[in-house]
Amino acid sequence: MLTLGDLLARARAATPAFERWLEAAAPELAEQVRTAAEAGGQTPGRFARSTVAAFDREADAEAWTRLNGRLHGAADPGLACLEEMVRWRLAAAPRPRLEEA
């Protein structure tokens, strides 16, 4: 079981090991991270690091409460933390507006 610090260290290393680990641990989350990273011109590791930093700076009390709830009793707290933060960031991302036909 990895801690959030372990996850961030792997992401910081910017090696394919982070992506392989994430793919094995949570394939759906790995795909979301890859897609969001590509859209922002980032590597998945950079996206993960920037997500954690953004959560720390910008998340409201409700997001922190959800995060704490996910961590309580999680089999893998590091993964649960990263997953909740990525979900928060993707939900906060501006949605493209549909143009009127």
Side-chain angles (χ1 to χ4, degrees):
M1 173 173 38
L2 298 175
T3 65
L4 180 58
D6 295 333
L7 288 172
L8 293 177
R10 286 185 179 191
R12 189 173 300 114
T15 65
F18 172 75
E19 292 179 57
R20 285 192 305 269
W21 171 82
L22 188 56
E23 182 65 42
E28 182 179 314
L29 180 61
E31 181 60 33
Q32 292 174 335
V33 167
R34 264 193 309 278
T35 300
E38 288 173 8
Q42 298 176 316
T43 65
R46 177 97 170 114
F47 176 81
R49 287 191 313 274
S50 66
T51 294
V52 172
F55 190 92
D56 184 46
R57 283 190 318 270
E58 301 166 15
D60 61 12
E62 183 179 332
W64 280 102
T65 299
R66 249 188 338 271
L67 176 68
N68 285 324
R70 290 276 321 271
L71 293 176
H72 182 68
D76 187 337
L79 180 59
C81 188
L82 180 62
E83 188 173 17
E84 188 61 35
M85 289 177 174
V86 168
R87 285 189 174 134
W88 168 84
R89 185 166 182 190
L90 295 176
R95 305 274 190 243
R97 295 188 319 166
L98 298 176
E99 295 183 330
E100 294 179 25

